[in-house]
Amino acid sequence: MSNIERSDSQSYVNDELTPPLNYLAGEFWVKFWGVRGLIPTPNSHTCRYGSNTACIEIYVAGQRLIFDGGTGLRILGKMWQQQQQQQEPLEAHLFFTNCQSNRIQGFPFFAPAFVADNCFHIYGTAASNGASIKQCLCDQMLQPHFPYPLQVMQSELLFYNLIPGNAVELGEVKIKTALINKAQRSIGYRVSWGDYSIAYATDLHKSLDLEEQNQILLIIQDVDLLVVNATYTPPTDKNHEYAELLWKTPVDLAQAAGVKKLVISHHHPDDDDDFLDKIQDEVKSALPKVLLAYEGMILPVGKREQVTGDR
């Protein structure tokens, strides 16, 4: 670890295609477990792209990394428990972009955290009100919001307070951070291993000032894969006639930074499958190497180019 302050301790996804917990240590891939913003949207019109809120899993150099703990984290936890039977205790690292509900609401339902001998390292920066990541996760599990406090989790929980701009080192893996949204106190991440890199920056807003643009470019420059949100206006102002505005900011950033492949995630709750299909076609006309994320999608980095995971 480096440049971090340690605090006190404490829908549907295609499960069959999830690489096992003992996957090859020489691999680098990302899997999408939750691709929605704001709130979960389970209904018949969101089954192909998915309805769970933000959660992705990155496997790199033998390390299990999770970014954000929306409701997709619950599905991820269930699969890990199935794979973990009669195996060694589980250790993983959870990185949060901010403390809004759609980023942390799956954590109370993350079943592996209730299993003794498991160990989870949890990282986040201070919220806009100054609360630490530990305090935010604790608060949402207090009465009357939740029946059981965080202390009932029997796994070892190790909390780390991130300072945007600093880095975390996990063996051969380096995770850089940057403040990408000042109003929400949201951070983005760049995960690097050897010559390969993935950036995760899913809290962009449609009007970026120069300082925010420079911070974002620090972590996305020349990455192999960039996971980013399509910026959107508040729900009351949503208008599908101007859909191109949703993806213009991430596409412009990807082109400016020389990103090799762009994935747009964190879809708006109002965006159904048919609308997202339309957006996929429109964005590809501007930038061919772009995908819209869907739950169950697995993208290898560096080793292979195919996309797996049925939609």
Side-chain angles (χ1 to χ4, degrees), residues 4 10-11 37 42 50 61 81 86 95 97-98 101 118 129 176 201 211 221 240 255 258 261 287 294 306 309:
I4 55 176
Q10 208 24 315
S11 150
Q81 279 200 307
Q86 299 180 352
F95 296 85
T97 54
N98 62 47
S101 63
N118 287 346
N129 66 351
K176 293 183 179 179
E211 180 182 357
Q221 189 68 46
H240 286 176
Q255 291 174 324
K261 181 175 290 185
L287 187 67
Y294 56 87
Q306 72 268 26

Side-chain angles (χ1 to χ4, degrees), residues 28 60 172-176 190-194 196-198:
F28 190 4
V60 53
E172 301 174 356
V173 182
K174 186 171 184 178
I175 301 101
K176 293 183 179 179
R190 180 190 181 108
V191 181
S192 300
W193 177 53
Y196 304 117
S197 56
I198 295 176

Side-chain angles (χ1 to χ4, degrees), residues 47-297:
C47 57
R48 284 190 285 111
Y49 284 88
S51 60
N52 285 295
T53 48
C55 180
I56 71 168
E57 173 190 9
I58 294 178
Y59 187 91
V60 53
Q63 302 278 0
R64 290 270 171 177
L65 315 179
I66 303 171
F67 289 84
D68 279 331
T71 56
L73 183 64
R74 185 184 72 88
I75 312 300
L76 169 58
K78 289 178 62 178
M79 176 50 56
W80 276 10
Q81 279 200 307
Q82 292 175 21
Q83 294 181 345
Q84 192 187 3
Q85 293 177 3
Q86 299 180 352
Q87 294 189 20
E88 294 296 319
L90 179 63
E91 182 173 10
H93 301 260
L94 285 75
F95 296 85
F96 289 90
T97 54
N98 62 47
C99 292
Q100 293 184 349
S101 63
N102 65 96
R103 311 289 180 145
I104 66 173
Q105 61 195 176
F107 185 75
F109 306 95
F110 183 49
F114 292 86
V115 178
D117 297 327
N118 287 346
C119 178
F120 298 102
H121 303 264
I122 301 172
Y123 308 79
T125 193
S128 55
N129 66 351
S132 68
I133 183 62
K134 180 180 180 180
Q135 181 178 342
C136 292
L137 293 177
C138 284
D139 287 351
Q140 76 164 345
M141 294 180 69
L142 294 177
Q143 294 277 11
H145 308 296
F146 198 75
Y148 306 110
L150 182 141
Q151 286 75 15
V152 303
M153 290 181 165
Q154 299 178 44
S155 65
E156 184 177 13
L157 303 179
L158 304 175
F159 291 86
Y160 304 88
N161 299 318
L162 289 176
I163 299 174
N166 290 343
V168 178
E169 294 184 5
L170 305 174
E172 301 174 356
V173 182
K174 186 171 184 178
I175 301 101
K176 293 183 179 179
T177 66
L179 184 66
I180 64 171
N181 186 323
K182 293 182 293 185
Q184 303 296 338
R185 295 293 302 171
S186 297
I187 56 178
Y189 296 93
R190 180 190 181 108
V191 181
S192 300
W193 177 53
D195 296 329
Y196 304 117
S197 56
I198 295 176
Y200 180 74
T202 58
D203 203 19
L204 306 182
H205 52 77
K206 63 177 181 178
S207 300
L208 300 174
D209 62 31
L210 183 59
E211 180 182 357
E212 288 170 327
Q213 290 184 46
N214 290 337
Q215 289 295 309
I216 295 165
L217 289 173
L218 286 175
I219 61 170
I220 73 171
Q221 189 68 46
D222 299 319
V223 294
D224 295 284
L225 176 64
L226 169 61
V227 181
V228 70
N229 64 300
T231 55
Y232 47 72
T233 55
T236 53
D237 297 329
K238 186 87 169 132
N239 189 333
H240 286 176
E241 293 180 12
Y242 303 100
E244 69 278 3
L245 297 178
L246 304 181
W247 50 260
K248 186 177 187 332
T249 297
V251 166
D252 288 348
L253 284 170
Q255 291 174 324
V259 170
K260 296 179 179 64
K261 181 175 290 185
L262 175 67
V263 177
I264 296 177
S265 188
H266 213 63
H267 308 313
H268 194 282
D270 293 341
D271 295 345
D272 60 25
D273 291 333
D274 291 341
F275 177 72
L276 290 174
D277 283 342
K278 177 183 175 182
I279 295 298
Q280 173 81 79
D281 293 338
E282 291 181 1
V283 180
K284 275 188 172 294
S285 67
L287 187 67
K289 290 189 175 181
V290 63
L291 294 169
L292 264 64
Y294 56 87
E295 292 179 21
M297 182 170 71

